[in-house]
Amino acid sequence: MVELIKNGVYLGRGKIIQEEAGDSTLERLNSQLSDAGLAPLTLDQIKLDQARAGTIAFRILTAHNQTGDWRNLKIKFDALASHDITYVGIVQTARASGLTEFPVPYVLTNCHNSLCAVGGTINEDDHVFGLSAAQKYGGIFVPAHQGVIHQYMREMLSGCGKMILGSDSHTRYGALGTMGVGEGGPELVKQLLKRTYDLAYPEIIAVYLEGKPSPGVGPQDVALALIKAVFSNGFVKNKILEFVGPGVGNLSVDFRNGIDVMTTETTCLSSIWLTDESVREYYRIHGRLSDYQQLETEEIAYYDGLVKIDLCKVEPMIALPFHPSNAYTIKELNRNPVEILQQVEAEARKQLDNPKLNFDLRSKIVNGRLKVDQGVVAGCAGGTFENICDVAEILSNKSIGQGEFNLSVYPASQPVNIQLANNGVLARLLATGATFRTAFCGPCFGAGDVPANNALSIRHTTRNFPNREGSKPSDGQLASVALMDARSIAATALNGGVLTAATEINPTVSTEKYVFNATIYQNRVFQGFGKANPDQDLKFGPNIADWPSMIPLPNNILLKVASFITDSVTTTDELIPSGETSSYRSNPFKLAEFTLSRKDPGYVERAKAIQSVEEERRSLLRGSKTINVMGTKVEPVLMTLIQSGLETGDLAKLAEDTGLGSLVFAVRPGDGSAREQAASCQKVLGGWANIAVEYATKRYRSNLINWGMLPLIISELAAANFKVDDYIYLPGIRQAVAGGAETVKAYVIGPEGHKELNLALPNLSSDERDIILAGCLINYYAKCLLR
């Protein structure tokens, strides 16, 4: 089904012609080409750098690079996108950094806090702020229920050869010839301030598709098979996936989009696909034919690795809790449910780390088959036109039953909704007993169709992380999600919730044709790009708060270990929960109270305890030229340095030079969402650093840096010879960062004394070091404005 080729691979005229490293001779390459019936290549064509330039990704990246150095990219994007969990903070940060006008199309969608049902007026206040920001700075404002962020960008802003940056991790439009990158909000701030997105040229991995999917196999099945093959081994981490091969032409554009949006779960940086007549037709249907161009590899193209997927062999899949990579074929699970679910339960209990919770999937085995409680088809992955039409086709003239199982469907946009109404699919679907919602991302992150306690929901959405669907473990409530394709969800609905692969029922495929109607957008979406009105006032609700002031990196820092997490991966949802916290995204102080609440409930109290000491230290520095720490909370903390023998100077000097704060240790933090709040909430609580064996994604590491936090590295978990409430002292850290040091001197201070700790700070650019030195991106840009 999926095969990984880890060495360098050449593609010649779209065919795999070499599966070894790139040192083979020209004769060997031409022999392979001859066997494939292709014309020979010249020596120049197989030179590695020239062959690298033969990829689609290379051409797009270098076209957006602002320097002549393709190995060190400085990218400017064609458009930006945010939703109502992220755009308030982005505008606030950019405004504090000197923003006067949006320099490129910036789309503010309202697809997360759409219900406005939690927290009084909080959510709608954010929407009012968003519209006023679009009016003031010249943005595009998409009101609630009109379209989920990624569907709107597909329909209205994508274009072959373009690049789009979004403050949502699922910013992926590769199937439309558009390279999408999901990052934390500060990276969008840089673009709004006409700066660049800087990165070393990434490795490019070919995803070679061949064959054609069987009836009943959908895009989520292909995506889960891909994620299963590459996530745990990090094969594509921070790399770009380039989809090529003859199988691409056997997939509709909706099918391609469904695979593409899920590439985020592989931990890749971005994705791009070759384009063809099907993509051209997509742009024609959407009235944007001028945005189409054919994208294909050059005669010879070199990739740093290759994933080969035989679409004929892909079977209906299910990703069990609590990760999209925890995937099995439905056939395999139905054949052996007890053993597989027992293994999933054991792994989940380790991850949940809460003995009070009863996580039990095996109780859902009825007559040897797994029975689920709920089905949801929604969002940028599930709510596409073809997915919903196929669900209706499978369920047509039938019933989802009168039992506990229920099915909800969310279209990805109002234009999709209009067409489903016009062609009768909506009526057929409603007649089955399924419920139909609006264009809303809620079920994907826990703000819609929250399951009952101990329920198992099957969803064609993007993630199934712990508690993401709305569980509240602190209140004893636990539910879980398994990811599946819409077609198998429909087949399961036919069986009253008994897990069923769509291929078991010989499904017919819908032949409904899509007609795009932009009237709703013309009537409701504010199109303000290029029409900034500086006289427009921003409209602030009572919950919208500015960021707290943040100081530059001190000469030394003494940090209390506020959390120590040994899970193999820590998601951003665990660092800052989604769902009910969404109403507080515009208030850094209120949101910070939720930090690590579902993973380490004691973290906030521990962080605040040392933060209060740091606040007293700063007040002493503001008070007078003569600093007296005697009798203050600062004295005993700084005395630990003297008592441990690490410092011998007077306390006043030590208080002047040494910042106090907290840090979080996690083995591999940051998988999942691009939300910068996973880092900013730590900073609001006085955090100065993370220590990790590895950062799960580039975007989380970037978020740490942009909030002025040190992304420290330790060699392995066993080397983390410290625990919660120990101190870690980094003397001379400011000088080390400023001097470009990649190793950092550190000491652990505990009840038994002190010991050295080897930490690394690798691969920081000069700009990133300057941001950390300034204390955060806001300070960095404020300093630039004063120059």
Side-chain angles (χ1 to χ4, degrees):
M1 186 161 57
V2 181
E3 177 186 356
L4 304 185
I5 299 172
K6 298 182 179 180
N7 295 324
V9 173
Y10 285 96
L11 261 64
R13 299 181 179 91
K15 296 184 181 293
I16 302 171
I17 57 173
Q18 184 188 351
E19 298 181 3
E20 293 86 18
D23 59 356
S24 290
T25 64
L26 178 62
E27 289 78 13
R28 176 168 183 171
L29 281 173
N30 281 332
S31 174
Q32 292 175 345
L33 284 171
S34 177
D35 291 344
L38 298 171
L41 297 163
T42 66
L43 184 59
D44 282 343
Q45 284 177 302
I46 70 160
K47 288 181 179 176
L48 190 56
D49 280 355
Q50 184 160 337
R52 284 188 189 280
T55 65
I56 302 168
F58 181 92
R59 295 199 299 279
I60 295 177
L61 289 169
T62 54
H64 289 80
N65 187 25
Q66 302 303 298
T67 74
D69 181 6
W70 66 268
R71 289 181 174 83
N72 294 288
L73 299 167
K74 292 184 176 293
I75 300 293
K76 283 194 176 180
F77 289 83
D78 298 294
L80 310 174
S82 294
H83 51 63
D84 48 349
I85 279 181
T86 57
Y87 66 59
V88 175
I90 290 168
V91 172
Q92 287 284 71
T93 302
R95 184 172 72 95
S97 305
L99 174 70
T100 58
E101 183 176 351
F102 295 155
V104 295
Y106 182 23
V107 177
L108 309 179
T109 67
N110 296 274
C111 52
H112 280 60
N113 289 333
S114 307
L115 295 182
C116 299
V118 179
T121 66
I122 289 172
N123 294 337
E124 187 62 13
D125 283 348
D126 287 357
H127 299 167
V128 171
F129 173 90
L131 177 57
S132 70
Q135 293 168 336
K136 183 178 184 67
Y137 298 117
I140 299 167
F141 183 82
V142 183
H145 307 289
Q146 301 307 306
V148 303
I149 177 173
H150 303 308
Q151 183 70 7
Y152 184 85
M153 298 304 287
R154 290 168 185 160
E155 292 170 345
M156 302 301 291
L157 271 295
S158 60
C160 295
K162 289 185 178 180
M163 292 189 72
I164 293 176
L165 181 67
S167 57
D168 184 276
S169 59
H170 290 102
T171 304
R172 292 286 188 272
Y173 318 117
L176 301 174
T178 307
M179 195 174 286
V181 177
E183 277 282 3
E187 291 300 328
L188 275 77
V189 171
K190 292 176 185 177
Q191 295 290 309
L192 292 175
L193 299 176
K194 301 181 181 179
R195 303 302 179 101
T196 57
Y197 177 71
D198 303 343
L199 74 160
Y201 186 81
E203 292 188 5
I204 314 297
I205 304 294
V207 182
Y208 192 85
L209 303 181
E210 53 190 9
K212 183 178 182 179
S214 302
V217 171
Q220 190 80 324
D221 299 316
V222 179
L224 294 178
L226 171 62
I227 295 163
K228 178 180 178 66
V230 302
F231 174 79
S232 61
N233 56 25
F235 185 58
V236 301
K237 179 183 172 183
N238 295 332
K239 301 172 187 178
I240 292 176
L241 300 185
E242 184 158 309
F243 287 77
V244 294
V248 173
N250 294 327
L251 305 177
S252 70
V253 173
D254 259 11
F255 200 116
R256 299 178 204 183
N257 282 333
I259 299 171
D260 187 64
V261 74
M262 290 297 292
T263 60
T264 295
E265 306 311 319
T266 69
T267 70
C268 73
L269 176 71
S270 187
S271 62
I272 194 68
W273 293 55
L274 62 80
T275 62
D276 55 15
E277 284 301 307
S278 295
V279 179
R280 185 180 188 279
E281 178 64 7
Y282 178 94
Y283 282 107
R284 187 198 66 77
I285 290 170
H286 287 80
R288 298 193 293 116
L289 191 54
S290 61
D291 283 316
Y292 173 76
Q293 60 175 295
Q294 187 173 3
L295 301 178
E296 57 185 351
T297 60
E298 299 288 353
E299 296 237 317
I300 184 77
Y302 176 83
Y303 295 90
D304 298 284
L306 184 141
V307 181
K308 186 190 292 185
I309 302 178
D310 186 344
L311 297 170
C312 301
K313 296 180 180 178
V314 176
E315 298 182 46
M317 304 287 290
I318 180 170
L320 291 167
F322 284 112
H323 199 277
S325 64
N326 192 22
Y328 300 82
T329 67
I330 293 176
K331 181 191 295 184
E332 179 184 10
L333 179 58
N334 280 336
R335 191 169 53 236
N336 192 15
V338 174
E339 183 177 335
I340 291 174
L341 294 179
Q342 185 175 20
Q343 180 181 340
V344 171
E345 287 170 358
E347 290 299 317
R349 288 192 189 103
K350 285 188 212 172
Q351 195 170 0
L352 293 167
D353 193 25
N354 187 340
K356 296 180 181 179
L357 293 173
N358 179 31
F359 182 69
D360 179 13
L361 291 177
R362 281 174 289 168
S363 64
K364 298 190 175 299
I365 299 174
V366 179
N367 297 325
R369 295 283 289 268
L370 180 65
K371 188 173 183 181
V372 302
D373 305 285
Q374 181 194 65
V376 175
V377 177
C380 55
T384 59
F385 178 75
E386 287 183 7
N387 282 344
I388 296 174
C389 286
D390 277 357
V391 168
E393 188 72 22
I394 290 170
L395 295 175
S396 188
N397 298 316
K398 301 181 180 70
S399 167
I400 68 168
Q402 297 84 37
E404 290 184 0
F405 181 85
N406 61 85
L407 174 65
S408 297
V409 178
Y410 294 69
S413 70
Q414 281 292 68
V416 170
N417 200 357
I418 290 171
Q419 182 60 14
L420 294 172
N422 287 342
N423 66 12
V425 166
L426 176 55
R428 283 193 286 143
L429 193 57
L430 291 173
T432 70
T435 55
F436 202 78
R437 315 293 201 193
T438 62
F440 173 44
C441 297
C444 196
F445 67 96
D449 281 305
V450 176
N453 182 53
N454 209 36
L456 176 62
S457 177
I458 52 173
R459 302 188 172 194
H460 192 153
T461 54
T462 56
R463 289 196 175 120
N464 61 336
F465 293 167
N467 312 311
R468 187 176 173 91
E469 76 301 314
S471 297
K472 288 188 176 181
S474 59
D475 296 339
Q477 196 272 346
L478 178 67
S480 51
V481 163
L483 299 182
M484 284 171 52
D485 188 79
R487 292 144 195 84
S488 290
I489 292 174
T492 300
L494 282 182
N495 277 344
V498 175
L499 184 67
T500 306
T503 51
E504 294 180 46
I505 62 170
N506 298 316
T508 54
V509 177
S510 172
T511 58
E512 297 287 349
K513 299 296 183 185
Y514 184 59
V515 177
F516 177 72
N517 186 339
T519 303
I520 185 65
Y521 290 157
Q522 293 163 1
N523 289 338
R524 278 298 291 143
V525 174
F526 175 76
Q527 296 286 349
F529 178 61
K531 306 171 187 175
N533 179 10
D535 295 330
Q536 168 71 47
D537 292 328
L538 293 174
K539 297 182 179 180
F540 292 88
N543 185 60
I544 298 176
D546 287 322
W547 294 104
S549 61
M550 302 176 197
I551 67 168
L553 181 67
N555 292 331
N556 320 309
I557 50 176
L558 178 62
L559 306 179
K560 179 158 276 195
V561 180
S563 186
F564 191 97
I565 303 169
T566 59
D567 293 354
S568 58
V569 178
T570 304
T571 69
T572 46
D573 276 22
E574 291 172 305
L575 292 165
I576 183 65
S578 56
E580 79 278 8
T581 65
S582 296
S583 293
Y584 300 102
R585 298 296 178 189
S586 305
N587 191 315
F589 303 95
K590 290 182 180 179
L591 182 62
E593 295 290 330
F594 293 92
T595 312
L596 280 165
S597 58
R598 292 177 182 165
K599 188 64 191 173
D600 185 356
Y603 165 78
V604 170
E605 183 178 349
R606 291 190 288 267
K608 283 175 132 183
I610 189 65
Q611 185 182 35
S612 69
V613 183
E614 168 65 5
E615 288 171 349
E616 186 167 9
R617 183 189 77 88
R618 294 186 197 179
S619 68
L620 292 172
L621 294 177
R622 289 191 296 267
S624 65
K625 292 183 179 179
T626 304
I627 302 171
N628 183 8
V629 302
M630 304 304 291
T632 69
K633 291 187 290 185
V634 180
E635 180 189 6
V637 174
L638 291 180
M639 278 299 296
T640 61
L641 293 174
I642 294 174
Q643 291 167 351
S644 66
L646 290 172
E647 294 288 353
T648 57
D650 63 68
L651 284 176
K653 178 63 175 170
L654 210 51
E656 186 176 342
D657 288 345
T658 308
L660 310 174
S662 58
L663 68 79
V664 169
F665 171 82
V667 175
R668 192 184 176 201
D671 182 34
S673 171
R675 286 174 288 135
E676 72 270 19
Q677 291 94 341
S680 66
C681 284
Q682 295 177 48
K683 188 61 183 280
V684 168
L685 293 170
W688 271 110
N690 276 194
I691 298 177
V693 176
E694 177 187 10
Y695 291 97
T697 58
K698 175 191 176 298
R699 53 185 173 268
Y700 179 68
R701 182 177 179 274
S702 295
N703 286 335
L704 291 174
I705 293 165
N706 286 325
W707 286 103
M709 299 176 69
L710 296 161
L712 298 164
I713 293 286
I714 197 166
S715 59
E716 58 181 345
L717 175 59
N721 56 350
F722 51 87
K723 59 186 182 300
V724 168
D725 286 335
D726 282 349
Y727 284 105
I728 293 183
Y729 183 46
L730 291 94
I733 185 62
R734 183 175 182 87
Q735 182 179 351
V737 172
E742 295 207 342
T743 57
V744 177
K745 183 185 292 186
Y747 300 92
V748 178
I749 306 171
E752 67 281 359
H754 77 269
K755 50 199 171 187
E756 290 190 13
L757 181 66
N758 296 317
L759 297 175
L761 197 59
N763 303 320
L764 286 174
S765 69
S766 60
D767 283 351
E768 288 173 333
R769 290 179 182 275
D770 286 344
I771 291 167
I772 292 172
L773 291 170
C776 64
L777 189 69
I778 297 173
N779 292 359
Y780 171 75
Y781 282 131
K783 184 178 178 182
C784 291
L785 288 173
L786 294 174
R787 290 175 184 168

